[in-house]
Structure formats: structure tokens, C-alpha cells
Amino acid sequence: MASNTQHEPTPVEQSFLNWFESTGGYLSPDVSLHDFTLQGMGRGMKSNKRLERDALLFSIPRYMLLGTRTSTLPSRAIAADEKAASLEAQTNPHLFTWQSLSGGWTQLLLVMLWEHFRSTAEGGAALNDSLAPRGSMDDEQDNAGGSVGPSWGPYFDILPRNFDTPMFWDRQELQDLEGTTVREKIGLAEAQLAYRTQLLPYIHAHPDLFVGSKASANARQVESLISTYYSEELFHRMGSAVLSRSFHVNLPGQGGLEEVGEAEDGMEVEDDEDEDEEDGEGEGEENINDVCMVPMADMLNARFESDNARTFYHQDVLEMRTTQVVEAGEQLLNTYGDPPNCDLIRRYGYVDEPNGADVAELPATTLVDALLSLEGLTSTTAVHETRRADLLSRLGWTISIGFDEVHALAYLFPLSQEAPFEPTPLSPTERELRSAAASISDELLAQARVLIMSPETLEKLKKKDKLPSSRIEAREFVDGQSRGVAEIIARAIELRLEVYPTTLQDNRATLYASLSTHKRLAPLSARRRNALVVRSGEQSVLMDNLRVLKAADEASRKLEKGQGVTSEKRKDASESAGHKKSKR
């Protein structure tokens, strides 16, 4: 939606714009910062005129990026560690070092805190820093007495001071996320542990490094500075800024004009890497040195499948360019990769409606619970425990050969573009249901079939290095009972839906009550509304999959009945089911 209103920069915004250009950045006169609060998006960037595809919006030298490669704290910390080690190695063998902070984002967050302190009048004087730029990001680290790069003060000033991510919600607000996968991924406990057991002890071990000349003051004054500029509250704020606004920027020299990627999550305290890994990084882990803040690039908002600008990098600069024609007054939107709302709310504190990328997680163990439920076995019997142990063993085998422990279910039908944003069509035909069933994960189907087949059939598959076929209509006949793959997964989804404290219908009634009653109701708080959108999105995905699976189960029962398969034929068919194990 285009905005023709003019927005006068606030003093903080003007200070940031002045800093950006005076430090070496370029901002096109064809774009400007704008307040999109009425659109529910806060500060963003808009076009002042029609922009053609590949128009340059702004560029930023690499030395203006804020991270472990552009700050001199890492080199200063390493120098301080070496000095301390020579003095204390014999008396303190467990001395905290910069390298000991390598798990997760601890080093990056400490850089953020140190640079924030350095950007203040008190911190700048205490650290006695020079403001000379360092040059490109691939320069060697400066020694402790070298130049220290730009001061990012105006950039820190424009960063949000308050976040709507669940990290900052109270207990009552978090209850609205009950049943979703968000609560277990917030990472507050892990962040607190990193701060209290790693970051804070390291700061106390090197007061001269973190408070500069103030380290010679009395202990009470030193502690006051640390509690002000290196507080846990500020640590969480910086962590949320990194989580929601950082970019993954590779070192230069890789050739060509390449797109900048987003930083992956890294708030958690990571386990030590395996000793046999040559490069010191676990498989799939990002290099924390590649994660940095990119001033101006993080001013752009994002919306599901609506991006019209992307960030690219050259040898010495990063550029933001349009990827399509942008009309005058239109908001410029970057991409977050179209994540589901459960990720959007956790990382950025907002949700998209509708969001066709929503997912619902289905733990593989729920398949076990589903089969036990269908067999009528309760947890109070010994038979239940024996049967459960057998099913978990089968499940463990599938996981050992590469199957997922948790399945991410996605929408099988497109969403309507009007509230309540339901998968359409509401009443699909049999043909449409069969077509949608083809999108259900083969691994999920095969995993369910492993659970329902006879022990003899399973052993034959293992010996012949075979996997069961992943047909959704597959059925197994064991001990006089026929069970279907779709039947098991459908029951698992029903059990997953029972975890939520309210139904999908209840949530939609709360979210969109005014649409049906035409009455002005008390508005929901932003956090409660976002939580209900996340919850209803997961439930909607589950219900969408459930209707397809129930249709498939009904079709498989009709097929079985129509074929008139005898018990012996069912058994023979079950034992011969399977196909060669594919390379994974």
C-alpha cells in the first residue's frame, strides 16, 4: 500500500541519517524513512518516486557493519587473556578467556555491549578510544592499541528499546502460547545461563578492558558501571536486536554479486563440538564472525511473499537494490525468507496474516501414542508398557536410518486472502483431496507404516535393507486387525490438537468476532492477538492435514473392502510390502 504522507525525521532518525552518510554510507534521495505504525509495522522505508528494478537504495562500507570482525574488542580481549594467562596460569587454571565464550552469540553480544558503552560520553572517555575508521572488514585485527573503527552511537540510539518477542512477555501473556512450539524455543533460560556463567564473570575478570580507566575507581563504582552498561536487561535487549535484525555476511573475495543471507538463531548456549570435526564448527553451524548488524538494511520491514528489495554484497560494500518496479510512496520490503508465524513472533515479535508458510510440528512419538490409543491400551497396564517399548524401538530404528524425530506439517491447500484465512476450498472434491495427499511427507507415511506392520515383516525389511513403501492408502493386517497408515497419522494429529487449551473455532471467534457479530468489541492486546494468530495457524495446518488424511483412510478402507482381501492374502501382502532402501 502506497503512502503519500510526508514524514519528518525525528531527532534520533536525523542523527542516524547524518551519522550514516558522514561515516561513509550512501542513501539515495529517492527513498526515506517513514512511520508505518498505522499499517502495524512501525518505522520502515518508502520510495519517494517510482523506482525501476535494480535501483540502488543505499550502500554501506563493510567497516560500518557491527560485529566481531569490525570491533577491536576481540583483539583487545585476546591480548588481555594472554597477559592474564602469563600472570595467573598457575594460580587460576580455569581462567575465563575470550575463546571460552565461543558458544552461541556470547562473543557478538559482548561486542555489542562494549561498543554501546564506548559510544557513550562516559564510555568513550573511559576507554580513551580513537574514532579513526578501520577500513575493510577483512583487515587483520588491530592490536590492543590500534584504531578502533567508527562509533556506532547514533545506530544504537535508533535500535528498538522495547521488543514484543516472547522473551519479554510475562507469565500470563505466555499462557496464550500454550500448546504451540514457540514456548519451548524462546531460550530465556539459556540466555540467562550464558550471561550469568560466561559473560558476567569474564567482564569481572577484565575490568580494565570493559570499563577502561574507571577500573581504578573503588569497587562500588566499578560495579555500578558494569550493572549500568553490561546489565542482564541490556544483554537481553542486544540479544533480541541481533535475533531480529542481524545478517549473515560472508567474507569478501568470493566473487560476483551475491545476496546477503539472514543470520540463523544462535541465542542458545551450544554444546562443545565433537573432537573429530576438523574446522571446529559443528555440521550446519554458522560462523558467528559472519553474523553482524547492518545499519540501514535493518530499517526495512518484511511481509510474507511481499519483498521488493534485497541486500547484495561486493568486495568492499553492501548494497540494497530493488528486485522489481516500486511505485512512488510504496513501502520497501526486505525478505526474511517467508518463515512461519511461530518463527516470526519468536524472532521479530509480529505475525503475518495470512501466512501460507505456517507449520505445525508433529513429534514422531505422537504416532506411537496414536497407535496405542487406537488399540485401546491405557498407561496403567503392563501390556501398555510392553507394547510402547516395542513401538519406540521401531521408531528408534527409523530415526537411526535418517528419519525425522519431528515432522513439520504444512498447508496442503492455499489460504483464502480474507479473514478467517481458511484453507480453500472449504469442501474439496475427492480428486482435490487425493492431489493434496501427495504433498504429505514420504518419511511420515513410511514411519507410520513401520509401526503397524507385523514383527516378522519388519525383520524381513531390516535384513533385506528395505524400507516400507510410503503409500498413504497402505494398510497392514496383524493379529486379525487392519490398520491404515492414514488412520495412524490422523489419530496422531487429533492427539496433537488436544494439547491446545482452546479449539480453532474458539480462537477464530476471538480473533474475528467483529466480522460475525458486527459489534465493536474490546480490542485484544497486540501480544494476545499475535499469540492467538500463531496458535490458530498451527491448528489450521493440523486440521487441513487431518481432513486429507481422513479422506485417504476412508478411501483405503473402501478399497480394502472392495477387493475382498482374505486374512491370508492380507498377511502375504503385508509381508511382501516394501522397496529397496533409497540412498539418503
Side-chain angles (χ1 to χ4, degrees):
M1 179 182 296
S3 174
N4 296 318
T5 60
Q6 295 298 318
H7 171 73
E8 289 296 325
T10 66
V12 169
E13 290 172 344
Q14 191 60 59
S15 175
F16 168 71
L17 294 172
N18 293 342
W19 168 84
F20 183 79
E21 295 191 317
S22 65
T23 310
Y26 166 77
L27 179 66
S28 169
D30 298 332
V31 300
S32 60
L33 297 182
H34 189 76
D35 185 2
F36 289 96
T37 300
L38 294 179
Q39 289 80 15
M41 303 186 76
R43 181 190 294 115
M45 184 176 289
K46 76 166 187 174
S47 59
N48 297 329
K49 57 176 286 188
R50 175 186 167 93
L51 301 173
E52 299 300 323
R53 185 180 183 277
D54 201 36
L56 177 63
L57 306 179
F58 57 83
S59 63
I60 177 172
R62 286 179 178 266
Y63 63 76
M64 287 180 65
L65 309 185
L66 175 53
T68 57
R69 286 199 177 107
T70 51
S71 171
T72 58
L73 176 62
S75 61
R76 292 167 181 266
I78 291 172
D81 290 342
E82 292 174 350
K83 181 179 179 181
S86 64
L87 298 174
E88 303 183 39
Q90 295 181 351
T91 59
N92 187 5
H94 303 293
L95 184 69
F96 277 100
T97 66
W98 177 257
Q99 296 303 330
S100 71
L101 306 178
S102 59
W105 286 350
T106 309
Q107 289 181 346
L108 177 58
L109 296 184
L110 193 49
V111 162
M112 296 275 287
L113 292 170
W114 187 79
E115 291 292 354
H116 174 260
F117 176 53
R118 188 173 73 86
S119 71
T120 66
E122 186 173 23
L127 296 174
N128 194 26
D129 284 337
S130 165
L131 298 180
R134 288 189 53 206
S136 63
M137 197 166 73
D138 58 337
D139 287 344
E140 292 184 1
Q141 292 280 2
D142 293 329
N143 293 324
S147 61
V148 294
S151 170
W152 285 274
Y155 176 59
F156 282 116
D157 291 340
I158 204 171
L159 288 177
R161 294 182 178 274
N162 299 299
F163 291 86
D164 277 324
T165 53
M167 174 79 75
F168 299 95
W169 292 14
D170 60 34
R171 184 172 300 179
Q172 184 174 356
E173 290 170 330
L174 288 173
Q175 287 180 351
D176 288 326
L177 290 171
E178 189 70 35
T180 71
T181 57
V182 176
R183 291 193 64 169
E184 62 193 46
K185 298 180 180 180
I186 294 174
L188 177 59
E190 292 86 348
Q192 290 173 333
L193 183 66
Y195 175 81
R196 297 170 186 177
T197 65
Q198 297 183 46
L199 187 142
L200 195 58
Y202 186 72
I203 292 173
H204 281 132
H206 299 289
D208 54 338
L209 177 62
F210 291 100
V211 297
S213 60
K214 298 289 186 179
S216 59
N218 62 57
R220 187 173 181 178
Q221 289 176 311
V222 171
E223 191 58 37
S224 177
L225 280 172
I226 292 175
S227 63
T228 299
Y229 293 103
Y230 299 94
S231 67
E232 185 169 343
E233 184 275 333
L234 191 55
F235 169 77
H236 289 313
R237 203 174 91 194
M238 292 298 180
S240 293
V242 171
L243 182 66
S244 62
R245 306 170 80 89
S246 63
F247 290 78
H248 187 110
V249 183
N250 293 329
L251 281 169
Q254 297 181 345
L257 182 66
E258 302 182 48
E259 182 182 338
V260 172
E262 284 186 285
E264 299 175 3
D265 293 358
M267 196 66 184
E268 298 79 17
V269 180
E270 299 175 1
D271 295 332
D272 292 335
E273 291 86 358
D274 294 336
E275 294 180 356
D276 58 352
E277 289 176 342
E278 296 179 2
D279 60 1
E281 292 183 23
E283 182 179 355
E285 288 182 19
E286 63 182 346
N287 184 348
I288 193 61
N289 293 320
D290 292 337
V291 180
C292 58
M293 307 296 286
V294 184
M296 196 64 76
D298 56 5
M299 295 296 113
L300 274 68
N301 291 315
R303 186 189 297 123
F304 179 69
E305 293 186 341
S306 300
D307 58 286
N308 52 23
R310 295 284 179 94
T311 313
F312 299 88
Y313 61 81
H314 290 283
Q315 179 74 16
D316 297 318
V317 299
L318 278 69
E319 296 180 340
M320 182 73 75
R321 292 181 173 273
T322 57
T323 56
Q324 62 189 52
V325 173
V326 180
E327 298 299 334
E330 188 176 345
Q331 182 172 189
L332 293 156
L333 297 167
N334 202 349
T335 177
Y336 291 164
D338 295 331
N341 278 331
C342 59
D343 284 347
L344 285 177
I345 196 172
R346 183 176 61 84
R347 296 188 59 158
Y348 310 107
Y350 79 93
V351 295
D352 274 339
E353 286 189 282
N355 191 336
D358 268 342
V359 297
E361 292 187 358
L362 184 70
T365 52
T366 312
L367 297 172
V368 172
D369 296 332
L371 184 51
L372 292 172
S373 172
L374 291 170
E375 292 175 348
L377 297 177
T378 65
S379 58
T380 58
T381 64
V383 176
H384 169 276
E385 293 304 316
T386 301
R387 177 63 167 151
R388 181 176 177 80
D390 170 59
L391 294 177
L392 288 176
S393 175
R394 295 175 180 225
L395 194 64
W397 173 68
T398 66
I399 294 171
S400 71
I401 60 176
F403 280 31
D404 291 332
E405 295 184 57
V406 178
H407 299 279
L409 305 184
Y411 279 115
L412 302 178
F413 287 95
L415 292 181
S416 67
Q417 297 302 300
E418 296 181 357
F421 310 114
E422 297 176 281
T424 56
L426 297 180
S427 300
T429 64
E430 289 187 11
R431 183 174 183 178
E432 288 172 329
L433 288 167
R434 286 197 302 271
S435 178
S439 297
I440 294 178
S441 163
D442 287 345
E443 282 193 4
L444 176 59
L445 298 174
Q447 206 166 43
R449 191 167 188 183
V450 165
L451 295 180
I452 61 176
M453 62 177 43
S454 69
E456 297 79 14
T457 303
L458 179 59
E459 287 305 312
K460 287 182 179 180
L461 289 176
K462 289 181 178 180
K463 289 179 180 179
K464 295 181 180 180
D465 195 29
K466 290 183 178 180
L467 293 175
S469 66
S470 55
R471 294 181 297 111
I472 194 171
E473 69 275 11
R475 302 191 69 84
E476 296 286 341
F477 191 82
V478 180
D479 296 332
Q481 180 67 54
S482 175
R483 294 290 181 202
V485 167
E487 176 188 15
I488 302 302
I489 303 174
R491 180 56 184 151
I493 289 178
E494 290 174 340
L495 293 178
R496 177 69 180 85
L497 284 166
E498 292 176 4
V499 175
Y500 299 98
T502 54
T503 66
L504 175 59
Q505 291 73 21
D506 291 337
N507 293 334
R508 283 176 173 167
T510 302
L511 284 168
Y512 313 114
S514 60
L515 297 179
S516 57
T517 63
H518 302 288
K519 295 180 180 179
R520 179 172 293 182
L521 304 175
L524 298 172
S525 70
R527 291 180 177 180
R528 175 165 170 73
R529 190 179 192 287
N530 287 347
L532 291 179
V533 168
V534 171
R535 188 196 296 173
S536 61
E538 290 187 5
Q539 291 170 309
S540 181
V541 169
L542 291 169
M543 293 295 291
D544 190 36
N545 279 260
L546 183 59
R547 63 175 177 170
V548 172
L549 286 159
K550 284 194 169 183
D553 180 48
E554 183 179 354
S556 72
R557 292 175 187 271
K558 289 181 179 178
L559 180 63
E560 183 181 55
K561 184 177 181 180
Q563 290 177 340
V565 182
T566 65
S567 298
E568 287 301 317
K569 287 183 178 180
R570 285 195 186 107
K571 182 177 180 181
D572 292 341
S574 174
E575 291 179 350
S576 62
H579 58 76
K580 284 286 185 181
K581 180 179 179 181
S582 59
K583 293 183 179 180
R584 304 186 61 79

